[in-house]
Amino acid sequence: MLQHLITQDAGLRMVPTDRGRLATAVGRLQDDLRALPEDADPVRTRALTRWIGVGQMCLGQHEEALTFLRQSLDLAAASGNTRAVVATSLNLGDAHRYAGDMRAAEALYRGALGTARSQHPELVDFALQHTGKYLMERGDLAGAEAHLREALRLRIAKGDTGLIGSTQAALSRVELLIDHAATPGAGDTAPRQWSGQWTSWLRSHTTARTPDRWAEDFPAIRGAVRGLTAHQRVHPRHLRDQLFPAELITAMAQEAEAALTADGYLHNGKWNAAVGDAANRFAGQVDLAAVVTESTGLEVEQPHNGVYIAYLEEGQFLDFHVDEFGFGEANLILCLKHERSVAGLTVSTTVFIGADGYRACDLAAGECVVFDGAITPHGRTPLGAGERVVLISFGFRARDVARRSAAPGRTCVPWSG
């Protein structure tokens, strides 16, 4: 139904070929679903809910995707159609993985693979492919390679060139990750791979999506996080008293809203947009390098980049990750707008993981937080009802020569435990 509107990004996740067209197509499917009579064929209902869920997942609407795909899976199970159960379980596993819930994703992938092996051998290659991608993102590269090689053998036997090409692309990415893991200090790509591997590891062990789990999660990651954050050049600091000019904050908030509406793009679960004249005026009139230097003790150059960031929908969040090294030794995230419902019980916060646990920063307009984004695991907890958050993020490079180019070679990514 939607295959022609979906492709894969560099990380092998499904994304729209044209966001607007995919959103329109999903809307039409939802209209079809609402128009079904009460005694409609459950097969039709199951197909519609499945494809709506897949489309919402590609659009980054994680909660909606999970709701529709669970409905589709329940319909498949109620009808006794185990083939549909396998296929929909893989889709629901992807939705949980994209939303950052690796534990739920793993259970679905493992269940689907077991059912496929015992009852539907024609689906084993699909289950292996999805499980292999999950293992790749989790950081189990050996497991990912084994699953994908088995999938490739089965697909070669099927003779489907499209399926063969898809598995070969996934296998090539895993082999590249294995090569870089074996030689972490080699070449300019090593820091980028190192950051990606840390992010995969973090997301397989904890998530910003469910703070209720943090006390349970932290003992298992304490040692690894301490080893990582020992290399920080900037510890997270919530700055509430900078007194930035209100008119400049307002101008950037207005510019951000316009840019996000016109040219915003979804990236890792959040909306991004390029900065413009208002942000450049702010950076020209406010000595941001001095703000970072005075608050952290690290002398930095003026910001070399910036981006608008927005969280606009209930439940939207950013899972734990570390940034690429090119963004700089210091980050400053400034809140331009934080709308919240008086009745809302949940408030979204910027959150960090440090050697002693999790730290949440509730940023109001005009407040900022500085930190070392390439070394400090960070994210944002889900938006509550009625919340909207608009931010601007600046990257700074240290003035000294002791930049972090060699750090990946000194810090090991912990793939187990």
Side-chain angles (χ1 to χ4, degrees), residues 6 16 26 30 55 113 148 246 266 296 317 339 349 359 407 411 415:
I6 297 172
V26 171
Q30 290 177 300
L113 181 56
L148 292 169
L266 200 62
T296 68
F317 76 106
E339 299 174 354
T349 60
R359 176 183 178 184
T411 307
W415 293 124

Side-chain angles (χ1 to χ4, degrees), residues 6-28:
I6 297 172
T7 187
Q8 291 188 351
D9 63 12
L12 303 181
R13 287 192 172 194
M14 291 187 292
V15 294
T17 58
D18 183 314
R19 182 175 179 83
R21 290 180 61 199
L22 180 60
T24 299
V26 171
R28 285 198 296 265

Side-chain angles (χ1 to χ4, degrees), residues 236-249 252 282 285-297 331-336 363-370 394 396:
R237 294 198 61 185
H238 185 172
L239 307 181
R240 298 180 174 87
D241 56 356
Q242 293 304 304
L243 301 178
F244 297 124
E247 65 275 13
L248 297 181
I249 299 292
M252 284 193 292
F282 176 80
Q285 295 183 39
V286 176
D287 190 348
L288 289 173
V291 171
V292 173
T293 298
E294 291 169 8
S295 61
T296 68
N331 301 54
L332 184 148
I333 292 180
L334 171 62
C335 181
L336 304 178
L363 299 175
E367 295 182 353
C368 60
V369 61
V370 293
F394 294 101
F396 302 80

Side-chain angles (χ1 to χ4, degrees), residues 346-402:
T346 301
V347 175
S348 176
T349 60
T350 301
V351 64
F352 305 92
I353 311 177
D356 298 321
Y358 299 78
R359 176 183 178 184
C361 295
D362 181 4
L363 299 175
E367 295 182 353
C368 60
V369 61
V370 293
F371 60 102
D372 185 341
I375 296 294
T376 309
H378 58 285
R380 173 164 285 275
T381 59
L383 263 64
E387 269 196 292
R388 294 176 84 252
V389 179
V390 181
L391 313 162
I392 185 170
S393 176
F394 294 101
F396 302 80
R397 295 192 176 108
R399 287 189 179 277
D400 61 40
V401 296

